[in-house]
Amino acid sequence: MKKDNYLIIGGTGKTGRKVVDSLRLLNQNVKVGSRSSIPSFDWNRADTWENALVGVDKMYITYQPDLAVPGALQSIKELVRLAKKNNVKKVVLLSGKGEREAELCEQAVISSGMDYTIVRASWFNQNFSESFFLEPIQQGVVALPQANVQVPYVDTGDIADVVVEALLHEEHNGNIYQLTGPTTLSFKEAIQEIAKATERNISFVPISIETYVAAMKEQSIPADFVWLVEYLFTEVLGNPMVSEITNDIQKVLKRKPKSFSEYVIETAKTGVWSGVKEPI
């Protein structure tokens, strides 16, 4: 029986690398779509896309840095056009829960004529250990806006498992899944859990979005990333639907999603949150 060939775009990222690992454990044919792979795939170089698509049956798309950024929609439309031209049969798209701009990118996939599954994820657990919350946690002071918004953080391992199921099984064609964790937490509550698990004194300071944006600009953080963070904290966290909990992970995987507490206990053991040595 012929095996399908899978292209995992963003195959070295938070969810993509776990999708790659799972498919390889299942002895599937997998190509990693990244700037360092051969052939390479670079979102900033459209001339690399078609070579990466040669011989591909199914693909998983994660867009960097986020589907909400200017230019993402045009890139997704062009990639989908090339995929269709190269006889790709199915697309699984990682999207953002509560992001209006991301939903425009979803429509490009939905109207492509290929089979598809849309995976809308809530904010990742791993934002606290692999992304922009990590350094403040290590330093012992986390200052963030939208301090009281309740977010059902979802684990990237659960996202990857849903993506693998969607890629492998046709029963998921045409579905939009919204993936969340089983409970909601505010930023303050999340930081308190991490402090307890690491036995460290980590302070949480609520600040305004204006103060947060100004601080990023002072640190010479690239303008496009500042724009994205401001968008996420205003448009996404400002949407009441961000707090909604779904059972789609349980529906697809026939098991409960990983809780934030389970994630924190596991991650604390790695030492990533140990931080700078505090004075005795």
Side-chain angles (χ1 to χ4, degrees), residues 126-142 191 194 200 202 263 267 271-275:
Q126 282 71 14
N127 286 345
F128 293 89
S129 54
E130 300 178 26
S131 194
F132 54 100
F133 299 155
L134 175 58
E135 189 175 341
I137 290 170
Q138 291 171 331
Q139 293 173 345
V141 180
V142 181
I191 296 304
I194 293 169
R200 291 182 58 219
I202 307 172
Y263 153 76
T267 306
V272 70
W273 290 322
S274 297

Side-chain angles (χ1 to χ4, degrees), residues 80-81 84 91 106-116:
V80 164
R81 185 189 70 79
K84 178 78 171 171
V91 177
E106 294 174 10
Q107 287 303 317
V109 171
I110 290 168
S111 62
S112 68
M114 293 179 285
D115 289 332
Y116 70 87

Side-chain angles (χ1 to χ4, degrees), residues 119-130:
V119 175
R120 288 181 188 161
S122 184
W123 283 37
F124 300 170
N125 290 342
Q126 282 71 14
N127 286 345
F128 293 89
S129 54
E130 300 178 26

Side-chain angles (χ1 to χ4, degrees), residues 2-190:
K2 178 186 175 293
K3 283 187 189 177
D4 287 324
N5 296 315
Y6 296 88
L7 172 64
I8 310 303
I9 296 173
T12 58
K14 290 188 191 71
T15 64
R17 69 175 186 268
K18 294 178 179 179
V19 171
V20 168
D21 289 346
S22 293
L23 288 173
R24 284 179 173 164
L25 280 173
L26 294 169
N27 202 27
Q28 298 295 322
N29 300 324
V30 184
K31 287 204 294 186
V32 174
S34 72
R35 284 175 294 184
S36 59
S37 58
I38 301 174
S40 68
F41 181 96
D42 186 341
W43 279 115
N44 296 316
R45 289 187 53 204
D47 60 314
T48 65
W49 302 353
E50 193 150 19
N51 279 345
L53 288 165
V54 172
V56 170
D57 298 299
K58 299 178 181 180
M59 70 174 175
Y60 174 48
I61 301 175
T62 64
Y63 184 84
Q64 293 299 321
D66 192 279
L67 288 176
V69 302
L73 177 57
Q74 196 53 46
S75 292
I76 294 297
K77 283 181 174 178
E78 177 60 14
L79 179 64
V80 164
R81 185 189 70 79
L82 288 172
K84 178 78 171 171
K85 175 186 165 190
N86 281 271
N87 300 314
V88 173
K89 296 184 294 188
K90 182 169 184 177
V91 177
V92 177
L93 176 71
L94 179 66
S95 186
K97 187 171 176 284
E99 294 186 26
R100 287 173 297 177
E101 281 75 9
E103 290 176 18
L104 296 174
C105 296
E106 294 174 10
Q107 287 303 317
V109 171
I110 290 168
S111 62
S112 68
M114 293 179 285
D115 289 332
Y116 70 87
T117 305
I118 306 297
V119 175
R120 288 181 188 161
S122 184
W123 283 37
F124 300 170
N125 290 342
Q126 282 71 14
N127 286 345
F128 293 89
S129 54
E130 300 178 26
S131 194
F132 54 100
F133 299 155
L134 175 58
E135 189 175 341
I137 290 170
Q138 291 171 331
Q139 293 173 345
V141 180
V142 181
L144 291 171
Q146 298 282 26
N148 298 316
V149 173
Q150 292 285 319
V151 179
Y153 295 101
V154 64
D155 200 81
T156 56
D158 287 338
I159 298 169
D161 287 350
V162 168
V163 169
V164 170
E165 283 293 310
L167 286 169
L168 291 174
H169 303 297
E170 305 309 308
E171 68 200 68
H172 304 292
N173 290 357
N175 286 338
I176 298 175
Y177 295 124
Q178 302 205 70
L179 308 187
T180 74
T183 56
T184 64
L185 297 94
S186 68
F187 286 129
K188 183 177 182 179
E189 290 167 336

